[in-house]
């Protein structure tokens, strides 16, 4: 009887084990878990790309801030250069009027001098024909009385003084003529320099406007492109998130159904064991043995998430005049006459000579009053040396719109740093191209 009871219980338990281990949903859940894992991997890739795009946006934002600051400088430089151009045009008109007036005055003086020359020629001819001062002596000796003598003497004195006055007046007119001619020559030279400078400013204004427009377009294009990329990646991530959420819900529902089926099978098995035991008790002649059945309940291990959270990356002094100006590269603009006030310097607005003055001031060298610094004052500020002996820190000069019209600081390797009209402060090559052609060989060592 005990053997029969053992066999019955074993049969029931084997039946229960078969119900509990039935893989009714295993393949479906496994497939969904696999899909979920794939989606999570895709999301990690997309999120990594989004982070890269966000980092790029941060970098671009810093670059854009720098570009906006440069745009502001270029706009300010354009305004200042426009003012300078307008003033130069006004100066040219005023100087032209002065030259025109001086030329009229010179013409009148020349006409007066010609008349004076004729008068003096006649007087000289008269004196020569009368034997010089003899005529005056005869006038005095031919007097009829002392009173007549006095009258004649006064008349002769008046004539001599008149001759003397004519000569003195003529000399003054000649001196005035020379002064006015020299003044005209100087003003004409100044006029030529102003016209050359105005032409240079006109070219510079066009270049600055072109540079500003290109910079604004580049800024806008970069911003739009990166925003579009980020929006696309965020849309992809949102789509994958929806797929992942749907799969997770399906997996949850499937597991709930499996758990309900497992509990139902377990309950049915328990009832079957109970029923078999009752039947066995009835069949047994001996007193019923109480059988304790224990069933080991194994809980299926819960799925653990292996998602890996993305980790975030942890978040001048110039030694000499050659490098002290590097801070302005890409952060400055060229302005004719700029760099002579603290406001201009704060905004990075220089011309070539004011930049050189500023750079030397940073290393404790004073190149004279800032307000009057120019290429002319700088070329006399130190000792001229041969271009073959040129070394870093020397001033180098170029013939641009005029002789010695541009100056920079030699940095070595055939290059110099200076405030260029097309770029603002920048390092340029003087061993080839434009600057090689314009270098006039003048080198000044401070």
């Amino acid at each position: 009887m005990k053997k029969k009871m053992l066999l019955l219980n074993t049969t029931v338990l084997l039946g229960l084990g078969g119900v509990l281990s039935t893989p009714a949903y295993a393949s479906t859940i496994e497939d969904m878990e696999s899909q979920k894992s794939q989606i999570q991997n895709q999301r990690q890739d997309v999120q990594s790309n989004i982070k890269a795009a966000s980092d790029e946006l941060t970098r671009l934002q810093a670059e854009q801030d720098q570009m906006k600051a440069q745009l502001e400088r270029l706009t300010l430089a354009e305004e200042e250069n426009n003012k300078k151009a307008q003033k130069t045009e006004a100066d040219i008109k005023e100087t032209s009027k002065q030259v025109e007036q001086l030329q009229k005055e010179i013409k009148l003086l020349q006409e007066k001098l010609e008349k004076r020359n004729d008068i003096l020629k006649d007087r000289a001819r008269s004196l020569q024909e009368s034997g010089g001062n003899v005529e005056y002596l005869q006038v005095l000796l031919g007097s009829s009385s002392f009173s007549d003598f006095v009258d004649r003497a006064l008349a002769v004195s008046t004539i001599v003084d008149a001759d003397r006055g004519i000569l003195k007046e003529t000399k003054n007119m000649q001196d005035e003529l020379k002064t006015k001619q020299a003044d005209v020559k100087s003003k004409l030279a100044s006029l030529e320099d102003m016209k050359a400078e105005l032409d240079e400013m006109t070219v510079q204004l066009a270049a600055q406007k072109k540079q500003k427009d290109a910079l604004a377009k580049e800024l806008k294009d970069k911003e739009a492109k990166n925003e579009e990329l980020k929006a696309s990646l965020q849309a992809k991530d949102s789509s994958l998130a929806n797929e992942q959420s749907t799969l997770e819900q399906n997996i949850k529902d499937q597991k709930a159904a499996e758990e309900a089926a497992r509990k139902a099978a377990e309950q049915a098995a328990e009832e079957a064991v109970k029923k078999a035991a009752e039947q066995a008790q009835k069949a047994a002649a001996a007193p019923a043995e109480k059988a304790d059945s224990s069933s080991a309940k194994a809980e299926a291990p819960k799925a653990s998430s292996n998602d890996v959270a993305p980790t975030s990356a942890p978040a001048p002094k110039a030694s000499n005049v050659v490098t002290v100006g590097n801070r302005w590269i890409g952060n400055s603009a060229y302005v004719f006459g700029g760099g002579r006030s603290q406001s201009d310097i704060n905004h990075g607005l220089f011309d070539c000579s004011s930049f050189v003055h500023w750079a030397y001031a940073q290393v404790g060298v004073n190149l004279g009053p800032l307000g009057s610094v120019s290429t002319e004052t700088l070329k006399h500020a130190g000792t001229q040396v041969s271009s073959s002996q040129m070394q870093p820190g020397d001033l180098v000069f170029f013939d641009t719109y005029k002789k010695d019209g541009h100056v920079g600081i030699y940095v070595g390797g055939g290059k110099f740093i200076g405030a260029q009209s097309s770029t603002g402060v920048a390092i340029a090559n003087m061993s080839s191209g434009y600057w090689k052609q314009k270098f006039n060989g003048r080198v000044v060592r401070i």
Side-chain angles (χ1 to χ4, degrees):
M1 181 59 68
K2 288 182 179 179
K3 289 182 179 180
K4 288 183 179 179
M5 191 67 178
L6 180 60
L7 179 61
L8 177 61
N9 288 340
T10 302
T11 303
V12 172
L13 289 173
L14 285 174
L16 176 59
V19 172
L20 293 176
S21 62
T22 300
Y25 304 103
S27 61
T28 303
I29 292 176
E30 184 179 347
D31 288 344
M32 286 192 292
E33 289 285 4
S34 176
Q35 290 177 31
K36 177 184 173 182
S37 178
Q38 290 174 5
I39 290 173
Q40 285 175 333
N41 290 335
Q42 289 180 41
R43 282 198 72 192
Q44 284 180 353
D45 290 341
V46 171
Q47 287 170 351
S48 176
N49 289 335
I50 288 175
K51 184 180 183 303
S54 296
D55 291 343
E56 178 65 6
L57 266 180
T58 301
R59 189 192 69 77
L60 281 176
Q61 187 59 55
E63 184 180 332
Q64 286 163 4
D65 291 342
Q66 187 176 359
M67 289 170 78
K68 285 175 183 176
Q70 182 65 0
L71 277 175
E72 290 175 3
R73 274 189 290 271
L74 287 174
T75 301
L76 186 57
E78 188 177 13
E79 291 173 358
E80 292 299 319
N81 283 333
N82 267 320
K83 290 177 185 176
K84 179 70 173 175
Q86 290 169 5
K87 184 180 183 304
T88 303
E89 285 180 349
D91 290 345
I92 287 173
K93 289 179 182 177
E94 180 61 29
T95 305
S96 297
K97 287 180 183 178
Q98 292 175 6
V99 168
E100 187 178 346
Q101 180 62 32
L102 282 171
Q103 287 173 336
K104 287 179 181 178
E105 292 174 5
I106 288 171
K107 186 177 180 182
L108 287 174
L109 278 172
Q110 287 173 334
E111 290 174 355
K112 286 181 180 179
L113 280 171
E114 287 175 6
K115 291 178 181 179
R116 293 287 175 138
N117 286 336
D118 291 340
I119 293 172
L120 289 172
K121 285 177 184 176
D122 290 341
R123 301 286 287 180
R125 192 181 300 111
S126 174
L127 283 171
Q128 185 178 13
E129 290 173 355
S130 63
N133 290 333
V134 176
E135 182 181 358
Y136 293 149
L137 186 58
Q138 288 175 345
V139 170
L140 293 174
L141 293 177
S143 57
S144 59
S145 64
F146 182 74
S147 177
D148 186 29
F149 174 80
V150 172
D151 290 339
R152 285 174 180 244
L154 286 172
V156 168
S157 176
T158 301
I159 292 170
V160 172
D161 288 342
D163 287 347
R164 226 183 254 116
I166 290 172
L167 288 170
K168 187 176 180 181
E169 230 176 89
T170 301
K171 179 68 170 62
N172 290 339
M173 288 172 67
Q174 287 175 333
D175 291 343
E176 185 181 358
L177 179 61
K178 287 180 182 178
T179 301
K180 289 185 182 293
Q181 285 175 332
D183 198 9
V184 165
K185 186 177 180 181
S186 173
K187 287 187 181 298
L188 283 173
S190 174
L191 198 59
E192 289 176 1
D193 284 348
M194 283 191 288
K195 285 180 178 178
E197 188 175 5
L198 181 60
D199 290 342
E200 181 76 9
M201 279 191 283
T202 302
V203 172
Q204 169 60 18
L205 283 170
Q208 281 183 336
K209 186 177 186 309
K210 186 176 180 181
Q211 183 185 3
K212 187 176 73 172
D213 292 344
L215 203 59
K217 184 178 184 303
E218 182 184 356
L219 181 65
K220 187 175 180 181
D221 290 347
K222 278 187 176 181
E223 198 171 31
K225 186 175 180 181
N226 208 67
E227 286 292 351
E228 183 181 350
L229 173 62
K230 187 177 179 182
S232 173
L233 288 170
Q234 286 175 332
K236 177 67 175 175
D237 183 60
S238 177
S239 174
L240 289 171
N242 289 336
E243 287 185 40
Q244 181 178 335
S245 177
T246 301
L247 274 172
E248 287 173 347
Q249 185 60 44
N250 289 343
I251 290 171
K252 183 178 179 182
D253 293 345
Q254 199 74 333
K255 284 183 176 180
E258 181 179 321
E259 180 66 13
R262 186 187 67 78
K263 285 182 177 179
E266 189 179 76
Q267 186 177 358
E270 287 177 353
E271 289 177 356
V273 169
K274 184 179 179 181
K275 187 176 181 180
E278 290 176 353
Q279 290 176 351
Q281 285 176 352
K282 288 179 181 180
E289 295 180 4
K290 294 182 179 179
D292 295 328
S293 64
S294 61
S295 57
K297 296 181 181 180
E299 284 194 25
K302 293 183 180 179
S304 62
S305 173
N306 293 322
D307 293 352
V308 178
T311 57
S312 58
K317 184 175 178 180
S319 60
N320 55 51
V321 73
V322 174
T323 56
V324 73
N326 290 350
R327 58 170 289 197
W328 294 115
I329 296 175
N331 299 307
S332 60
Y334 186 91
V335 173
F336 281 91
R340 286 163 179 78
S341 68
Q342 193 57 48
S343 175
D344 278 0
I345 292 172
N346 291 343
H347 287 91
L349 305 179
F350 296 97
D351 64 10
C352 61
S353 51
S354 66
F355 170 73
V356 168
H357 187 285
W358 174 88
Y360 269 93
Q362 303 314 296
V363 294
V365 179
N366 185 355
L367 296 181
L370 177 59
S372 58
V373 67
S374 67
T375 53
E376 283 298 310
T377 63
L378 290 176
K379 74 182 184 182
H380 300 297
T383 305
Q384 293 202 28
V385 298
S386 169
S387 60
S388 62
Q389 298 176 333
M390 188 162 49
Q391 63 186 30
D394 290 344
L395 303 188
V396 286
F397 291 80
F398 306 84
D399 292 344
T400 50
Y401 69 95
K402 67 175 183 178
K403 185 167 181 59
D404 297 318
H406 188 68
V407 64
I409 302 171
Y410 186 64
V411 299
K415 296 179 180 180
F416 74 98
I417 186 170
Q420 275 67 266
S421 60
S422 58
T423 59
V425 176
I427 294 175
N429 189 352
M430 58 183 288
S431 59
S432 64
Y434 176 82
W435 292 111
K436 181 181 180 180
Q437 296 172 3
K438 298 297 181 180
F439 178 52
N440 61 19
R442 187 188 299 280
V443 180
V444 174
R445 185 161 297 160
I446 303 300

